[in-house]
Amino acid sequence: MRTRIFAVGIGLICVVSVFSVASFALPNEIAYTISAQLDTAKNIITATETVRFTNRTGTTLTELYFHVVPNAFKRGADTKYQQELQRAGIPPALIYASPNDDAFMEIKSVTANGQALAFSIDDTLMRVALQEPLADGQTLKLQIEFLNDLLEASPQAQWAATFAVRSGFRNGTYTVTLWYPKVVVYDADEGWNLDKYSLLGEFYGDFADYDVTLTVPANFTIGCTGTILSESVEGTQKIVKIQAERVHDFAWVAGPFYRVEETELPHNIRLRVLSLGLSMTATAADAMNFFNERFGPYVYPVVTVAQVTVGGGMEYPGIVMIAGGSTAEIVHELAHQWWYAAVGNDEMDEAWLDEAFATFSEELYDIERLNAPSSARSSYRFREPGIPVLTRADQFPSLRSYAQAVYTKGSGVLWMLRWVIGPEQFDRLLREYYARFVYKNATTQDFIAVAEEVSSQDLDWFFDIWLRTTKTVDFSLPVGTWRQLEDGQFETRLTILRQGEALAPVKVVLYLRDGSIVETRWDGQQTTAELTFKSASAPVQAEIDPDHDVLEEHRANNILSFPASLLSEPLTLEEFF
């Protein structure tokens, strides 16, 4: 998601069918079959879902859990999400376009082998009690009947970041996300990840394969996760068959007003752009080509860029939702097809693994493709947010602090790592990390392990300081001397200081009278050091970290000038005090 500080015709019907085959789930194998009908007069989805679940947890299960996200928006409900809205000073009623509207998911029944199973719902989580224990390796097939009342969103919900409204309809266009009961991830660290829908933070899902059949009004255009295999019109309805493999969610958009542009990209990738007026194809194609070159080939056959009226500035596997259409928004969301869609992660516990990576990728595109200056980086004028990057998303006190820590500082950590291990090694690192964890959910520790392997360096100190603490660093140049040697060369000595508990290597540059420079790298492990430079010309100025590679907030003391009137004479330490 990029952060910033369905009505089509009365009485029309949309039918959805989804089938998922077990594949790279972590650790469970899960298959979904969903048949859903969208009533555009009432704006509700009624559906049946079959879930084929193979237990790979290594333990016997007596219950299953599902996300039922639409319940977060039920009017008057005391959900975690609505509590957080209120604490942020946002009345929950603001998310609705109409005072009479509502949004929720009603579970009508859950059965297995024709027998009803007991279930209970707490906020946006549903617990299903199994009739018999499910041993490791055993498979169970469940049937769920549900109703999803879609939200008619207020104009402010065009951007997902405003209210965290990601699904609904407005002005005849539907954004359909987080819309079906989805199995909660069970992992080795936490067991069931029972995270309720939150104002801050996003998702965590198992990879699966989907076969989807959407029946929509005949004048609708569909954009979705996966590949559209066929379309046919029968009377007033259009039947669209879709396939998506190895994805951890399924999202779609629909409406009668879309203009479609399709472009073939290298690596047999088809780009579909669904626009309501924005021009997005050229930017999207260039961003996809850039990321293919830098990180490795996009792993899905189709990528869809869709302009939306609800929940824009958001990413889902194979599809991104665009609100404003700026280059930054399009590039950022497409970067998520590498960092979130192909390489998954727990976005509640470790949001930086997708948001910081997407921000870094967006900035890399700006600098290398659009020739933006290095100051275009969001972390260039760094300010410590005062809360660690690796803080659970729902523990941040505000959207602002979340953005400052996860997006800005998180991307800055990646830029700094690039400086620490070198650009070539860093490029290798991202390509190797991507190749190794495609179709998997990665962790911060996974990334650290690959970084250490590629760079042949111990980097625990680096990540511990810059991700897990709010320690700061302040470099300074309090004094410098120079003298001309007998051979005509000039010798300059600088005293460099490091204050603060954070550590980082740093570049020190000496600018010379003839316009040339000499530079060195200080490891920054000690609190002070004396650096010696030899040059063919007298010094004019010395500067620490001119490229802002290090996340340093106070930079006024990073420059030491040698007065022009003194350039012909050696300087002593005493003259600087």
Side-chain angles (χ1 to χ4, degrees), residues 117-169:
L117 300 181
F119 65 90
S120 58
I121 294 177
D122 176 20
D123 203 304
T124 59
L125 293 169
M126 177 173 69
R127 175 185 176 273
V128 177
L130 304 182
Q131 285 187 326
E132 297 179 359
L134 188 68
D136 184 56
Q138 287 188 329
T139 298
L140 176 68
K141 187 178 290 188
L142 299 178
Q143 291 77 39
I144 303 173
E145 291 185 70
F146 68 94
L147 180 148
N148 182 351
D149 189 320
L150 294 171
L151 170 71
E152 182 179 7
S154 66
Q156 298 97 312
Q158 181 180 5
W159 290 88
T162 307
F163 299 143
V165 173
R166 295 179 169 92
S167 188
F169 67 95

Coordinates of all heavy atoms in Angstrom, one line a residue, residues 117-169:
L117 N -21.2 -28.1 11.5 CA -20.1 -27.9 12.4 C -20.4 -26.6 13.2 O -21.0 -25.6 12.7 CB -18.8 -27.7 11.7 CG -18.3 -28.9 10.9 CD1 -16.9 -28.5 10.3 CD2 -18.2 -30.2 11.7
A118 N -20.1 -26.6 14.5 CA -20.3 -25.5 15.3 C -19.2 -24.4 15.0 O -18.1 -24.7 14.8 CB -20.2 -25.9 16.8
F119 N -19.7 -23.2 14.9 CA -18.7 -22.1 14.7 C -19.1 -20.9 15.5 O -20.2 -20.7 15.9 CB -18.7 -21.7 13.2 CG -20.0 -21.1 12.7 CD1 -20.2 -19.8 12.7 CD2 -21.0 -22.0 12.1 CE1 -21.4 -19.3 12.2 CE2 -22.2 -21.5 11.7 CZ -22.4 -20.1 11.7
S120 N -18.1 -20.0 15.7 CA -18.4 -18.8 16.5 C -17.5 -17.7 15.8 O -16.5 -18.0 15.3 CB -18.0 -19.0 17.9 OG -16.6 -19.4 18.1
I121 N -18.0 -16.5 15.9 CA -17.3 -15.3 15.3 C -17.0 -14.3 16.4 O -17.8 -13.9 17.2 CB -18.2 -14.7 14.2 CG1 -18.4 -15.7 13.1 CG2 -17.5 -13.4 13.8 CD1 -19.3 -15.2 12.0
D122 N -15.7 -13.9 16.4 CA -15.2 -12.9 17.3 C -14.6 -11.8 16.4 O -13.5 -12.0 15.9 CB -14.2 -13.4 18.3 CG -13.6 -12.4 19.2 OD1 -14.2 -11.3 19.3 OD2 -12.5 -12.6 19.8
D123 N -15.3 -10.7 16.3 CA -14.7 -9.6 15.5 C -14.6 -10.1 14.0 O -15.6 -10.4 13.4 CB -13.4 -9.1 16.1 CG -13.0 -7.7 15.7 OD1 -13.0 -7.4 14.5 OD2 -12.8 -6.9 16.6
T124 N -13.4 -10.1 13.5 CA -13.2 -10.6 12.1 C -12.5 -11.9 12.1 O -11.9 -12.3 11.1 CB -12.3 -9.5 11.4 OG1 -11.0 -9.4 12.0 CG2 -12.9 -8.2 11.3
L125 N -12.7 -12.7 13.1 CA -12.2 -14.1 13.1 C -13.3 -15.1 13.4 O -14.2 -14.8 14.2 CB -11.1 -14.3 14.2 CG -9.8 -13.5 14.0 CD1 -9.0 -13.6 15.3 CD2 -9.0 -14.1 12.8
M126 N -13.3 -16.2 12.6 CA -14.3 -17.2 12.8 C -13.6 -18.5 13.2 O -12.6 -18.9 12.6 CB -15.1 -17.5 11.5 CG -16.1 -18.7 11.7 SD -17.2 -18.9 10.3 CE -16.0 -19.5 9.0
R127 N -14.1 -19.1 14.3 CA -13.5 -20.4 14.8 C -14.5 -21.5 14.4 O -15.7 -21.4 14.7 CB -13.3 -20.4 16.3 CG -12.9 -21.7 16.9 CD -12.8 -21.6 18.4 NE -12.5 -22.9 19.0 CZ -13.3 -23.9 19.3 NH1 -14.7 -23.7 19.1 NH2 -12.9 -25.0 19.8
V128 N -14.0 -22.5 13.8 CA -14.8 -23.7 13.4 C -14.3 -24.9 14.2 O -13.1 -25.3 14.2 CB -14.7 -24.0 11.9 CG1 -15.5 -25.3 11.6 CG2 -15.2 -22.8 11.1
A129 N -15.2 -25.5 15.0 CA -14.9 -26.7 15.8 C -15.0 -27.9 15.0 O -16.1 -28.1 14.4 CB -15.7 -26.7 17.1
L130 N -14.0 -28.7 14.9 CA -14.1 -29.9 14.1 C -14.7 -31.1 14.9 O -14.5 -31.2 16.1 CB -12.6 -30.4 13.7 CG -11.8 -29.3 12.9 CD1 -10.5 -29.9 12.5 CD2 -12.6 -28.8 11.7
Q131 N -15.5 -31.9 14.1 CA -16.2 -33.0 14.8 C -15.2 -34.1 15.2 O -15.4 -34.7 16.3 CB -17.2 -33.6 13.8 CG -18.5 -32.8 13.7 CD -19.5 -33.5 12.9 OE1 -19.2 -34.3 11.9 NE2 -20.8 -33.3 13.2
E132 N -14.1 -34.2 14.4 CA -13.1 -35.2 14.8 C -11.7 -34.5 14.6 O -11.5 -33.7 13.8 CB -13.2 -36.4 13.9 CG -14.4 -37.2 14.0 CD -14.5 -38.4 13.0 OE1 -13.5 -38.6 12.3 OE2 -15.5 -39.1 13.0
P133 N -10.8 -34.9 15.5 CA -9.4 -34.3 15.4 C -8.8 -34.6 14.0 O -9.0 -35.7 13.4 CB -8.6 -35.0 16.5 CG -9.7 -35.5 17.4 CD -10.9 -35.8 16.6
L134 N -8.1 -33.6 13.4 CA -7.5 -33.7 12.1 C -6.0 -33.9 12.3 O -5.3 -33.0 12.7 CB -7.8 -32.5 11.3 CG -7.4 -32.5 9.8 CD1 -8.2 -33.5 9.1 CD2 -7.5 -31.1 9.2
A135 N -5.5 -35.1 12.1 CA -4.1 -35.4 12.3 C -3.3 -34.8 11.2 O -3.7 -34.5 10.1 CB -3.9 -36.9 12.3
D136 N -2.0 -34.6 11.5 CA -1.1 -34.1 10.5 C -1.1 -35.0 9.3 O -1.0 -36.2 9.4 CB 0.3 -34.0 11.1 CG 1.3 -33.4 10.2 OD1 1.1 -32.3 9.8 OD2 2.4 -34.1 9.9
G137 N -1.2 -34.4 8.1 CA -1.2 -35.1 6.9 C -2.6 -35.4 6.4 O -2.8 -35.8 5.2
Q138 N -3.6 -35.3 7.3 CA -5.0 -35.6 6.9 C -5.7 -34.4 6.2 O -5.3 -33.3 6.4 CB -5.8 -36.0 8.1 CG -5.5 -37.4 8.6 CD -6.5 -37.8 9.7 OE1 -7.0 -37.0 10.5 NE2 -6.8 -39.1 9.8
T139 N -6.7 -34.7 5.4 CA -7.4 -33.7 4.6 C -8.8 -33.6 5.0 O -9.5 -34.6 5.2 CB -7.2 -34.0 3.1 OG1 -5.9 -33.9 2.7 CG2 -8.0 -33.0 2.3
L140 N -9.3 -32.4 5.1 CA -10.7 -32.2 5.4 C -11.3 -31.2 4.4 O -10.7 -30.3 3.9 CB -10.8 -31.5 6.8 CG -12.2 -31.1 7.3 CD1 -13.1 -32.4 7.6 CD2 -12.1 -30.3 8.6
K141 N -12.6 -31.5 4.0 CA -13.3 -30.6 3.1 C -14.5 -30.0 3.8 O -15.4 -30.7 4.4 CB -13.8 -31.4 1.9 CG -14.4 -30.5 0.8 CD -14.7 -31.3 -0.4 CE -13.5 -31.8 -1.2 NZ -13.9 -32.5 -2.5
L142 N -14.5 -28.7 3.8 CA -15.6 -27.9 4.5 C -16.4 -27.2 3.5 O -15.9 -26.8 2.4 CB -15.0 -26.9 5.5 CG -14.2 -27.3 6.6 CD1 -13.7 -26.1 7.4 CD2 -14.9 -28.2 7.5
Q143 N -17.7 -27.0 3.8 CA -18.6 -26.1 2.9 C -19.1 -25.0 3.8 O -19.6 -25.2 4.9 CB -19.8 -26.9 2.4 CG -19.4 -28.0 1.3 CD -18.8 -29.2 1.9 OE1 -19.3 -29.7 3.0 NE2 -17.8 -29.8 1.2
I144 N -19.0 -23.8 3.3 CA -19.4 -22.6 4.0 C -20.4 -21.8 3.2 O -20.1 -21.5 2.0 CB -18.2 -21.7 4.4 CG1 -17.2 -22.5 5.2 CG2 -18.7 -20.4 5.2 CD1 -15.9 -21.7 5.5
E145 N -21.5 -21.5 3.7 CA -22.5 -20.6 3.1 C -22.4 -19.2 3.8 O -22.4 -19.1 5.0 CB -23.9 -21.1 3.2 CG -24.2 -22.3 2.4 CD -25.7 -22.6 2.5 OE1 -26.5 -21.9 1.9 OE2 -26.0 -23.6 3.2
F146 N -22.2 -18.1 2.9 CA -22.1 -16.8 3.6 C -22.7 -15.7 2.7 O -23.0 -15.9 1.5 CB -20.6 -16.5 3.8 CG -19.8 -16.3 2.6 CD1 -19.6 -15.0 2.1 CD2 -19.2 -17.4 1.9 CE1 -18.8 -14.8 0.9 CE2 -18.4 -17.2 0.8 CZ -18.2 -15.9 0.3
L147 N -22.9 -14.6 3.4 CA -23.4 -13.4 2.7 C -22.5 -12.3 3.0 O -22.1 -12.1 4.2 CB -24.8 -13.1 3.2 CG -25.5 -11.9 2.6 CD1 -27.0 -12.1 2.6 CD2 -25.2 -10.6 3.5
N148 N -22.1 -11.5 2.0 CA -21.3 -10.3 2.2 C -22.0 -9.1 1.7 O -22.3 -8.9 0.6 CB -20.0 -10.5 1.3 CG -19.0 -9.4 1.5 OD1 -19.3 -8.4 2.1 ND2 -17.8 -9.6 1.0
D149 N -22.4 -8.3 2.7 CA -23.0 -7.0 2.4 C -21.9 -6.0 2.1 O -21.1 -5.6 3.0 CB -23.9 -6.6 3.6 CG -24.7 -5.4 3.3 OD1 -24.3 -4.4 2.6 OD2 -25.9 -5.3 3.8
L150 N -21.9 -5.5 0.9 CA -20.8 -4.6 0.4 C -21.1 -3.2 0.9 O -22.2 -2.7 0.9 CB -20.7 -4.7 -1.1 CG -20.2 -6.0 -1.6 CD1 -20.3 -6.0 -3.2 CD2 -18.7 -6.3 -1.2
L151 N -20.0 -2.5 1.1 CA -20.0 -1.1 1.6 C -20.1 -0.1 0.5 O -19.3 -0.2 -0.5 CB -18.7 -0.9 2.4 CG -18.4 0.6 2.8 CD1 -19.4 1.0 3.9 CD2 -17.0 0.6 3.4
E152 N -21.0 0.8 0.5 CA -21.0 1.9 -0.4 C -20.1 3.0 0.3 O -20.5 3.6 1.3 CB -22.4 2.5 -0.7 CG -22.3 3.7 -1.7 CD -23.6 4.3 -2.0 OE1 -24.7 3.9 -1.4 OE2 -23.7 5.2 -2.9
A153 N -18.9 3.2 -0.2 CA -17.9 3.9 0.5 C -18.1 5.4 0.3 O -18.5 5.9 -0.7 CB -16.5 3.5 0.1
S154 N -17.6 6.2 1.3 CA -17.6 7.6 1.2 C -16.5 8.0 0.2 O -15.6 7.3 0.0 CB -17.4 8.3 2.6 OG -16.1 7.9 3.0
P155 N -16.5 9.3 -0.3 CA -15.5 9.7 -1.2 C -14.1 9.7 -0.6 O -13.1 9.4 -1.4 CB -15.9 11.2 -1.5 CG -17.4 11.2 -1.3 CD -17.6 10.3 -0.2
Q156 N -14.0 9.9 0.7 CA -12.6 9.8 1.3 C -12.0 8.4 1.3 O -10.8 8.3 1.4 CB -12.7 10.3 2.8 CG -13.2 11.7 3.0 CD -14.7 11.8 3.3 OE1 -15.5 11.1 2.6 NE2 -15.0 12.5 4.3
A157 N -12.8 7.4 1.0 CA -12.3 6.0 1.0 C -11.7 5.7 -0.4 O -11.4 4.5 -0.6 CB -13.4 5.0 1.4
Q158 N -11.6 6.6 -1.3 CA -11.0 6.3 -2.5 C -9.5 5.8 -2.3 O -9.1 5.0 -3.0 CB -10.9 7.6 -3.4 CG -10.3 7.3 -4.8 CD -10.3 8.6 -5.7 OE1 -10.6 9.7 -5.2 NE2 -9.8 8.4 -6.9
W159 N -8.9 6.3 -1.3 CA -7.5 5.9 -0.9 C -7.7 4.9 0.3 O -8.3 5.3 1.3 CB -6.6 7.0 -0.5 CG -6.2 7.9 -1.6 CD1 -6.9 9.0 -2.1 CD2 -5.0 7.8 -2.4 NE1 -6.2 9.5 -3.2 CE2 -5.1 8.8 -3.4 CE3 -4.0 6.9 -2.4 CZ2 -4.0 9.0 -4.3 CZ3 -3.0 7.0 -3.4 CH2 -3.0 8.1 -4.3
A160 N -7.1 3.7 0.2 CA -7.2 2.8 1.3 C -6.5 3.3 2.5 O -7.0 3.0 3.7 CB -6.5 1.5 0.9
A161 N -5.5 4.1 2.4 CA -4.8 4.6 3.6 C -5.6 5.5 4.5 O -5.3 5.7 5.6 CB -3.5 5.3 3.2
T162 N -6.6 6.1 3.9 CA -7.4 7.1 4.7 C -8.2 6.5 5.8 O -8.0 6.9 7.0 CB -8.4 7.8 3.8 OG1 -7.7 8.4 2.6 CG2 -9.1 9.0 4.5
F163 N -9.0 5.4 5.5 CA -9.8 4.8 6.6 C -9.5 3.3 6.6 O -10.2 2.6 7.4 CB -11.3 5.0 6.3 CG -11.7 6.4 6.3 CD1 -12.7 6.9 5.5 CD2 -11.2 7.3 7.3 CE1 -13.1 8.2 5.5 CE2 -11.6 8.6 7.3 CZ -12.6 9.1 6.4
A164 N -8.6 2.7 5.8 CA -8.3 1.3 5.7 C -9.6 0.6 5.1 O -9.8 -0.6 5.4 CB -7.9 0.7 7.0
V165 N -10.4 1.3 4.3 CA -11.5 0.7 3.6 C -10.9 0.2 2.2 O -10.4 1.0 1.4 CB -12.6 1.7 3.3 CG1 -13.7 1.1 2.4 CG2 -13.2 2.1 4.6
R166 N -11.0 -1.1 2.0 CA -10.3 -1.7 0.8 C -11.3 -2.4 -0.1 O -10.9 -2.8 -1.2 CB -9.2 -2.7 1.3 CG -8.1 -2.0 2.0 CD -7.0 -3.0 2.5 NE -5.8 -2.4 3.0 CZ -5.6 -2.0 4.2 NH1 -6.5 -2.3 5.2 NH2 -4.5 -1.4 4.6
S167 N -12.5 -2.5 0.3 CA -13.5 -3.2 -0.5 C -14.8 -2.4 -0.5 O -15.2 -1.9 0.6 CB -13.7 -4.6 0.0 OG -14.5 -5.4 -0.9
G168 N -15.5 -2.4 -1.6 CA -16.8 -1.7 -1.6 C -17.1 -1.2 -3.0 O -16.5 -1.6 -4.0
F169 N -18.0 -0.2 -3.1 CA -18.4 0.3 -4.4 C -18.7 1.8 -4.3 O -19.1 2.3 -3.2 CB -19.6 -0.4 -5.0 CG -20.9 -0.2 -4.3 CD1 -21.8 0.7 -4.7 CD2 -21.2 -1.0 -3.1 CE1 -23.0 0.9 -4.0 CE2 -22.4 -0.8 -2.4 CZ -23.3 0.2 -2.9

